[in-house]
Amino acid sequence: MQPLKQYWIAEALEKDLGDPTNPNNVMSFKQVIDLDEREEFPHEIINWLYNWKLQHYYIPTECGGEFTSFDEFIAFVRVLSRRDQTAAIAFTTMFWSYLTWMAGTDEQKRTLASFMKDANGAMCLAYSEKAHGSDLLASDVRATKVPGGYILNGEKWPINRATISGVTFVLAKTDEEGGARSLSLFMVEKSKIDPANYSHLPKIFTHGVRGSDMSGIKFENCFIPESMRLGAEGAGLELALKGFQITRALCAAFSQGAADTALRTTLKFALGRQLYGKTVYDMPQPKRTLTDGFLDILICDCATIGVARGFNTMPEQISVWSAVVKYFVTTTLETVVQNVSVVLGSRFYMREEHDYGIFQKVLRDNAIISMFDGSTVVNLHALLLQLRQLTKSRIRNAGRNQDTLQARLAATFDLTQPLPAFDGKKLELVNRGGDDVLQGLGLALTSLIDLKTDSSLNGEVLQQIIQLTEIVQEELNTLDHQITESTFQFGHEQAPEVFDIAKQYCVLHAAASCVHMWLYNRHHLGDFFSNGEWLALGLRKLLLTFRPAKALPERIDDAAVAQELVRLYTDNRMFSIVPFQLANPQLQETTTDATQRLQLQA
């Protein structure tokens, strides 16, 4: 199967980085472990990525860069994260540039693009404060208006890349009585402000990503020109929340890369470790654990790629989709890492024994991802505040405009369809138009039933997919009734049961994403994907959230999924519904070779 165009950059980067198990390669497991042991920032790795010109893929084409789509972005961030989340996160702080691409003036966009391309510039985000955490409106940092600009005072903490960055996006209070309009956002260029009026706080020592530049910034009567303000005065909170919609969804790529390495290094151990006259992998329980971990990765893939493409096709719905993916994918893959650690045995806790101790580093590093850009509680709260409107919309629109809905779903989930340009101005703080993914379940069921005449499909597998999708629809109807009958109000005093409803919504959204992804890509993604055993098993796994195993159709044979897991490992391919080629130690390309190949393919 030839890789889709949006995966070419990921494959080229993979080949140039080389096999991470080879200690001589840049970003190898040995190198990143050594840096982690010294708690040292990965300067050499970051410089290598700059020299590769990866920063160009963080800048939209209309701003002079190479960024074209979010699914392309997620693919190459997975490549970085499967090697080292410390370096991947440090480099990807550049994606906060999207605040400028969305709200900046032409001059601000030119300035930032030049800074990123020519000066190898990095940036950081200064939103939170030690006393207030995620309560952004409680900000103690003040930007006082003066002729020509503002005087900035106060501390922001914690901040990733606070010290080793040239641009800081600062959220500060500009109106004491403005309520939601009290904050403004500034793109502060450190080189253009007086160094006597700001300082960096001491490094924060962390459990994971130990080499990160994690600290804070203190401003003392620091003058910043008005030209550094992004958007209108008072628009800071709105811009911040819309920026989170983008970055929260993209955090999933960090978790996906980590889960790939956790599963891959554990599978390597299980295939090679002999116990009781057989390999660990040949034992039923370890095999089931690894197979289930693979299923979770495929499920998360469907949800993540769906939202990535949704930025281009349905930006009005991203306030919901982004919160779903940020909660569901990061927490699910945290659990995958924990679960497969049992197969690795005592070695999961060792910092040297197996693959240089990379599993232990992944375990520590990956724990932070679900906290980034809003914790699980913050994301679930953002979702539950929209649930009542989503339910009303779903009931109101049932059976309406089916052709239009079908076209939107195809644009989002058919990975061969070209995407329209992303328009950040269409992002909404609150979803007013419904959720296509769950609204389209009825259409999906009709399409599944129509496939009964397809002789290429296993009838028993298809029948189980249909049965399980019908149960997804039943559970959605039950959830809609619960939401309609609920009396919860806005605010932060919600009962735990309401958060449980939001969690259930996320599971149903992920299940529907898997069904849509299969329906629109059965002929594009190879025989394993097309045959559908993974989908039947994945849907059943998700529905265990709602019903006991004995109330669901019996689990089908998972031999095909177990075989695919080993095949992808043996062929050195990403564990994904789009299993693109990983670096082969026997077939290395130089950066020039990779660039020339991309130009020929284009």
Side-chain angles (χ1 to χ4, degrees):
M1 183 183 71
Q2 292 297 313
L4 298 166
K5 184 177 180 181
Q6 57 265 45
Y7 291 84
W8 290 355
I9 299 302
E11 281 202 343
L13 180 61
E14 257 292 327
K15 289 184 178 181
D16 281 359
L17 283 167
D19 178 10
T21 65
N22 181 342
N24 297 318
N25 286 336
V26 67
M27 223 171 174
S28 69
F29 292 155
K30 184 179 189 307
Q31 181 189 24
V32 303
I33 289 290
D34 288 346
L35 289 169
D36 194 66
E37 289 294 314
R38 299 194 299 268
E39 303 196 23
E40 184 177 318
F41 188 81
H43 290 287
E44 180 184 347
I45 293 171
I46 298 298
N47 289 336
W48 188 96
L49 296 173
Y50 277 127
N51 290 333
W52 200 87
K53 306 301 182 186
L54 187 61
Q55 68 272 27
H56 290 224
Y57 294 92
Y58 292 69
I59 305 169
T61 52
E62 63 269 23
C63 296
E66 301 291 340
F67 175 90
T68 57
S69 70
F70 291 94
D71 49 347
E72 176 183 83
F73 179 87
I74 281 172
F76 71 69
V77 172
R78 288 175 79 169
V79 165
L80 299 177
S81 298
R82 87 179 190 93
R83 290 167 164 77
D84 181 27
Q85 284 181 313
T86 302
I89 294 165
F91 196 83
T92 302
T93 59
M94 277 194 293
F95 212 74
W96 282 113
S97 59
Y98 238 95
L99 293 164
T100 301
W101 312 143
M102 285 196 302
T105 63
D106 289 344
E107 180 58 31
Q108 287 171 327
K109 292 175 184 178
R110 283 192 295 270
T111 296
L112 189 60
S114 176
F115 169 72
M116 292 170 69
K117 289 194 294 184
D118 302 333
N120 290 352
M123 58 211 65
C124 65
L125 192 75
Y127 281 7
S128 62
E129 299 170 15
K130 183 176 288 190
H132 305 296
S134 61
D135 186 0
L136 300 183
L137 282 174
S139 174
D140 288 328
V141 173
R142 299 293 190 269
T144 306
K145 195 81 165 68
V146 296
Y150 297 83
I151 299 295
L152 201 57
N153 279 288
E155 288 186 8
K156 290 291 185 180
W157 178 101
I159 304 170
N160 189 23
R161 290 209 75 163
T163 303
I164 310 172
S165 62
V167 168
T168 303
F169 290 101
V170 181
L171 198 60
K173 188 161 285 186
T174 49
D175 183 351
E176 297 295 334
E177 307 298 329
R181 306 289 297 178
S182 65
L183 301 175
S184 298
L185 185 60
F186 300 88
M187 186 180 82
V188 178
E189 300 169 69
K190 291 181 182 177
S191 64
K192 297 179 181 178
I193 60 176
D194 190 337
N197 297 118
Y198 78 92
S199 58
H200 299 115
L201 303 180
K203 175 181 171 65
I204 300 167
F205 294 97
T206 53
H207 175 67
V209 291
R210 299 194 304 186
S212 291
D213 169 31
M214 194 76 70
S215 58
I217 298 178
K218 182 177 182 179
F219 298 98
E220 297 180 279
N221 296 321
C222 183
F223 175 79
I224 53 173
E226 190 163 355
S227 61
M228 290 186 182
R229 191 188 70 227
L230 279 176
E233 188 172 291
L237 183 61
E238 180 177 348
L239 289 174
L241 294 177
K242 288 183 177 179
F244 278 146
Q245 288 181 21
I246 297 175
T247 58
R248 283 171 176 170
L250 301 180
C251 281
F254 297 129
S255 295
Q256 287 172 311
D260 185 283
T261 292
L263 181 58
R264 192 173 301 272
T265 191
T266 305
L267 180 61
K268 175 183 177 180
F269 170 82
L271 290 169
R273 175 71 164 172
Q274 293 278 338
L275 287 175
Y276 315 114
K278 61 178 65 177
T279 69
V280 169
Y281 185 73
D282 287 329
M283 299 175 185
Q285 182 59 31
K287 180 180 285 189
R288 173 66 60 86
T289 299
L290 295 171
T291 301
D292 279 354
F294 181 41
L295 282 171
D296 280 328
I297 288 175
L298 299 181
I299 291 166
C300 290
D301 234 10
C302 294
T304 303
I305 295 172
V307 74
R309 292 177 63 84
F311 280 111
N312 297 74
T313 60
M314 287 302 297
E316 301 89 344
Q317 298 186 12
I318 290 298
S319 63
V320 170
W321 295 9
S322 178
V324 166
V325 165
K326 178 55 167 63
Y327 162 73
F328 178 82
V329 171
T330 60
T331 57
T332 297
L333 296 180
E334 274 184 30
T335 302
V336 167
V337 175
Q338 291 282 353
N339 288 347
V340 301
S341 72
V342 177
V343 177
L344 199 57
S346 62
R347 285 165 178 77
F348 100 91
Y349 206 67
M350 299 179 183
R351 285 159 56 182
E352 296 178 328
E353 178 67 22
H354 176 68
D355 274 353
Y356 306 97
I358 193 63
F359 192 100
Q360 227 288 317
K361 185 176 188 304
V362 166
L363 186 72
R364 287 183 282 110
D365 291 354
N366 191 53
I368 191 61
I369 306 303
S370 61
M371 288 293 297
F372 275 164
D373 301 351
S375 66
T376 57
V377 172
V378 168
N379 281 279
L380 289 171
H381 184 260
L383 180 59
L384 68 86
L385 295 181
Q386 302 179 74
L387 289 183
R388 189 170 286 141
Q389 177 60 36
L390 290 171
T391 295
K392 290 179 180 178
S393 175
R394 192 157 38 251
I395 294 170
R396 183 176 61 250
N397 293 323
R400 295 182 179 179
N401 303 316
Q402 298 294 280
D403 289 344
T404 303
L405 176 59
Q406 186 88 277
R408 291 202 304 265
L409 286 168
T412 299
F413 286 97
D414 183 346
L415 302 188
T416 65
Q417 282 205 24
L419 290 168
F422 170 62
D423 184 356
K425 293 183 174 62
K426 290 185 177 180
L427 292 176
E428 299 279 357
L429 291 179
V430 178
N431 185 316
R432 298 182 179 88
D435 180 353
D436 280 0
V437 175
L438 288 173
Q439 190 79 51
L441 264 177
L443 285 171
L445 273 168
T446 299
S447 297
L448 289 171
I449 292 168
D450 289 344
L451 287 177
K452 286 184 175 182
T453 60
D454 189 335
S455 60
S456 68
L457 290 171
N458 181 311
E460 292 182 9
V461 173
L462 177 60
Q463 185 56 38
Q464 183 157 130
I465 291 171
I466 293 171
Q467 285 180 268
L468 292 167
T469 305
E470 288 172 341
I471 296 174
V472 173
Q473 182 70 73
E474 291 170 11
E475 292 297 339
L476 178 60
N477 293 340
T478 300
L479 199 67
D480 281 345
H481 179 73
Q482 287 180 264
I483 294 168
T484 301
E485 296 296 314
S486 175
T487 58
F488 73 83
Q489 302 297 320
F490 295 142
H492 293 273
E493 301 297 323
Q494 308 295 348
E497 291 76 15
V498 181
F499 283 89
D500 289 340
I501 290 174
K503 291 177 182 178
Q504 291 167 359
Y505 189 94
C506 293
V507 174
L508 294 174
H509 191 282
S513 295
C514 291
V515 175
H516 295 311
M517 194 66 74
W518 186 69
L519 284 170
Y520 289 106
N521 295 281
R522 288 191 310 111
H523 304 298
H524 311 322
L525 298 181
D527 291 341
F528 168 75
F529 183 88
S530 177
N531 291 340
E533 290 96 341
W534 70 271
L535 177 57
L537 289 160
L539 290 174
R540 188 179 187 277
K541 195 171 190 299
L542 290 169
L543 285 168
L544 290 171
T545 302
F546 303 91
R547 303 185 184 186
K550 64 183 179 182
L552 293 170
E554 186 175 350
R555 179 183 172 113
I556 65 170
D557 186 1
D558 62 9
V561 179
Q563 288 171 0
E564 178 70 359
L565 173 62
V566 174
R567 185 187 74 83
L568 294 181
Y569 170 79
T570 304
D571 292 351
N572 214 26
R573 290 183 173 273
M574 183 68 79
F575 295 142
S576 171
I577 63 168
V578 187
F580 59 88
Q581 185 67 53
L582 301 181
N584 187 325
Q586 304 303 318
L587 296 171
Q588 295 296 309
E589 287 185 315
T590 66
T591 301
T592 302
D593 292 335
T595 303
Q596 290 175 343
R597 181 171 59 83
L598 284 169
Q599 290 172 343
L600 288 172
Q601 289 173 317

